[in-house]
């Protein structure tokens, strides 16, 4: 069992940066692939980034590649999403997720989800 709590969201201007954090509880954190997803109003939840348990495999959605960086600290049981050069299309609720058998960017492959944190980018 893993509980996830996101933080770090907020209101920023286009071009600004934000760093999201996801704190996990549970003894098996290191065995999980961790992912970030986001959902804008009226849209489906979409994949943003994922990182394997060791950090050796990282994937990004094309829309954030080069601007966002995912990382994890297995000692602190925390996963991060550094978001740079934010634009209006990045406005969404951002969710952290954990999964043991993740092979792609599909939400149903993740077992546990946080409650989400709102990111709003203004012009």
């Amino acid at each position: 069992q893993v509980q996830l709590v996101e933080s770090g969201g907020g209101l920023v201007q286009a071009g600004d940066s934000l760093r999201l954090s996801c704190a996990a509880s549970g003894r098996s954190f290191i065995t999980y692939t961790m992912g970030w997803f986001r959902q804008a109003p009226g849209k489906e939840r979409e994949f943003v980034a994922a990182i394997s348990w060791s950090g050796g495999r990282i994937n990004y959605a094309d829309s954030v590649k080069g601007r966002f960086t995912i990382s994890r600290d297995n000692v602190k049981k925390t996963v991060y999403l550094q978001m740079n050069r934010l634009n209006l299309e990045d406005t969404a609720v951002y969710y952290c997720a954990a999964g043991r058998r993740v092979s792609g960017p599909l939400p149903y492959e993740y077992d546990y989800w946080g409650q989400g944190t709102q990111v709003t980018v203004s012009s």
Side-chain angles (χ1 to χ4, degrees):
Q1 191 82 8
V2 176
Q3 287 81 43
L4 304 171
V5 179
E6 302 96 334
S7 61
L11 173 64
V12 296
Q13 290 189 324
D16 285 351
S17 298
L18 269 181
R19 188 197 198 199
L20 304 183
S21 298
C22 173
S25 61
R27 292 181 292 178
S28 302
F29 175 77
I30 195 172
T31 65
Y32 287 87
T33 291
M34 300 300 297
W36 285 97
F37 289 77
R38 66 188 182 185
Q39 188 165 17
K43 295 187 177 181
E44 293 186 353
R45 191 166 297 188
E46 66 171 358
F47 170 78
V48 175
I51 185 168
S52 63
W53 70 272
S54 66
R57 188 173 72 174
I58 292 175
N59 292 301
Y60 295 101
D62 288 342
S63 59
V64 307
K65 206 170 290 184
R67 299 188 298 122
F68 290 11
T69 302
I70 189 172
S71 61
R72 67 188 293 165
D73 185 329
N74 288 336
V75 174
K76 294 182 178 179
K77 296 184 180 179
T78 302
V79 62
Y80 304 97
L81 185 68
Q82 177 67 42
M83 306 186 295
N84 298 329
R85 303 198 311 275
L86 286 160
N87 58 53
L88 299 180
E89 289 70 37
D90 296 318
T91 294
V93 177
Y94 283 72
Y95 297 91
C96 173
R100 275 192 169 147
R101 297 178 180 179
V102 175
S103 60
L106 301 173
Y108 69 76
E109 293 188 327
Y110 288 80
D111 305 304
Y112 302 101
W113 293 82
Q115 83 290 348
T117 185
Q118 177 71 47
V119 173
T120 303
V121 184
S122 65
S123 58

